[in-house]
């Protein structure tokens, strides 16, 4: 994939779960989820990321049949309407069904570690694949946040996963990397990663960043601030990440992100509105 000079893509978050940290199950019903997916696309999301399992700290795993029941009707409907859809899952069975229903990208927060069949599945289906840095499931990940040099160690672990996936047959041009802000990382670790974003780009792979509404942003907020109150710093982080050359940002509030990225584009001499760009790089 070649992304030189392209617009930073906006991936809109669509949680089809009853226990999301960011929206409290607001889109848990199929009809509500489809409506919100359409809204995200209309607001300027290039990709709508559909997930049926919460990965908030302490979250319990969701059985695959329940995950499929949540996401498949949504993926099928949105893809059928011409929206680029990604499936946010750690399960190869869910990924297979979602891709067959029209998803064009698999966004796996475990980077293939949770399900060894994921790499071969992605290779077989020939879809784009987000490989995130991950050390363990939600129940235990906070206990695993120990680093001596966070950004360097996270990058090394992440690219070892890339090597393993390529050995599984995943084409390098299909791989997108995500440093995994908030997953087995303290606030200090997250900020260290952000300060070293360009180090994650040195291998020539596209970088997806998911800072939106993450808990570390609450350090900048007032007492009692809600996850939704974090949309302003989320948009600022997205804009700064765009200046660093990231391929995409995964966000809950598409409107504020689109405006922030428009500011960056105009600052850098562009003229087209971000929301009018197509989702290039996703086949």
């Amino acid at each position: 994939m070649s992304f030189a000079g392209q617009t930073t893509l906006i991936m809109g978050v669509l949680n089809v779960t009853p226990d999301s940290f960011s929206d409290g199950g607001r889109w848990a019903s199929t009809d509500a989820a489809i409506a919100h997916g359409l809204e995200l696309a209309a607001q300027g999301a290039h990709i709508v990321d559909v997930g049926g399992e919460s990965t908030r700290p302490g979250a319990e795993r969701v059985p695959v049949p329940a995950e499929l029941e949540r996401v498949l009707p949504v993926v099928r409907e949105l893809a059928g309407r011409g929206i680029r859809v990604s499936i946010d899952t750690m399960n190869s069975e869910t990924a297979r069904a979602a891709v067959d229903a029209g998803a064009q990208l698999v966004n796996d927060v475990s980077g293939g570690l949770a399900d060894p069949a994921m790499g071969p599945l992605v290779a077989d289906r020939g879809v784009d694949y987000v490989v995130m840095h991950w050390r363990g499931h939600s129940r235990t990940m906070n206990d695993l946040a120990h680093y001596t040099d966070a950004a360097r160690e996270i990058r090394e672990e992440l690219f070892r996963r890339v090597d393993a996936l390529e050995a599984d047959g995943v084409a390098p041009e299909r791989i997108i990397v995500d440093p995994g802000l908030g997953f087995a990382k303290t606030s200090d670790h997250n900020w260290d990663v952000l300060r070293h974003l360009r180090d994650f780009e040195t291998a020539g792979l596209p970088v997806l960043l998911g800072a939106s509404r993450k808990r570390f942003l609450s350090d900048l907020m007032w007492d009692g601030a809600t996850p939704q109150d974090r949309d302003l710093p989320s948009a600022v982080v997205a804009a700064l990440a765009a200046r660093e050359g990231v391929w995409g940002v995964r966000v809950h509030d598409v409107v504020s992100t689109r405006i922030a990225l428009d500011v960056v584009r105009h600052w850098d001499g562009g003229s087209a509105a971000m929301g009018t760009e197509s989702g290039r790089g996703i086949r």
Side-chain angles (χ1 to χ4, degrees), residues 87-166:
I87 179 65
D88 177 3
T89 184
M90 292 181 277
N91 298 309
S92 62
E93 185 178 345
T94 302
R96 177 185 293 106
V99 169
D100 291 348
Q104 299 180 40
L105 182 151
V106 176
N107 180 18
D108 180 359
V109 300
S110 82
L113 287 170
D115 184 347
M118 184 67 87
L121 178 277
V122 171
D124 178 68
R125 288 298 194 271
V127 293
D128 291 337
Y129 183 51
V130 176
V131 181
M132 199 190 81
H133 175 266
W134 186 84
R135 282 186 166 184
H137 288 288
S138 298
R139 295 186 308 277
T140 61
M141 65 180 181
N142 286 342
D143 297 328
L144 304 172
H146 302 289
Y147 306 90
T148 300
D149 183 344
R152 179 184 60 78
E153 293 171 43
I154 290 162
R155 183 188 180 281
E156 289 175 354
E157 291 175 20
L158 179 59
F159 282 93
R160 281 199 292 270
R161 287 305 306 147
V162 170
D163 291 342
L165 289 159
E166 289 182 5

Side-chain angles (χ1 to χ4, degrees), residues 234-256:
S234 298
V236 174
V237 170
L240 292 171
R243 294 296 303 275
E244 293 296 297
V246 299
W247 169 85
V249 288
R250 183 179 182 274
V251 301
H252 298 83
D253 185 353
V254 169
V255 173
S256 65

Side-chain angles (χ1 to χ4, degrees), residues 31-224:
D31 289 345
I34 291 170
H36 188 52
L38 294 172
E39 180 182 31
L40 291 171
Q43 290 171 344
H46 304 99
I47 309 161
V48 175
D49 190 39
V50 180
E53 178 177 3
S54 175
T55 53
R56 62 178 173 77
E60 295 296 324
R61 295 302 312 277
V62 173
V64 169
E67 185 184 29
L68 287 168
E69 184 178 0
R70 291 174 181 179
V71 301
L72 275 187
V74 181
V75 170
R76 188 175 294 113
E77 181 67 20
L78 295 179
R81 297 198 187 199
I83 293 172
R84 289 180 172 86
V85 176
S86 61
I87 179 65
D88 177 3
T89 184
M90 292 181 277
N91 298 309
S92 62
E93 185 178 345
T94 302
R96 177 185 293 106
V99 169
D100 291 348
Q104 299 180 40
L105 182 151
V106 176
N107 180 18
D108 180 359
V109 300
S110 82
L113 287 170
D115 184 347
M118 184 67 87
L121 178 277
V122 171
D124 178 68
R125 288 298 194 271
V127 293
D128 291 337
Y129 183 51
V130 176
V131 181
M132 199 190 81
H133 175 266
W134 186 84
R135 282 186 166 184
H137 288 288
S138 298
R139 295 186 308 277
T140 61
M141 65 180 181
N142 286 342
D143 297 328
L144 304 172
H146 302 289
Y147 306 90
T148 300
D149 183 344
R152 179 184 60 78
E153 293 171 43
I154 290 162
R155 183 188 180 281
E156 289 175 354
E157 291 175 20
L158 179 59
F159 282 93
R160 281 199 292 270
R161 287 305 306 147
V162 170
D163 291 342
L165 289 159
E166 289 182 5
D168 280 339
V170 180
E173 64 270 18
R174 292 292 188 182
I175 294 176
I176 299 155
V177 295
D178 180 345
L181 297 179
F183 288 80
K185 297 168 187 68
T186 66
S187 293
D188 287 344
H189 298 149
N190 292 327
W191 289 114
D192 191 44
V193 167
L194 289 172
R195 284 190 293 269
H196 293 87
L197 267 183
R198 288 195 183 272
D199 292 347
F200 289 84
E201 299 169 357
T202 56
L205 296 178
V207 175
L208 175 68
L209 190 72
S212 180
R213 295 184 181 175
K214 292 288 175 71
R215 188 173 299 178
F216 77 101
L217 297 174
S218 65
D219 296 346
L220 310 173
M221 311 298 290
W222 56 91
D223 290 343

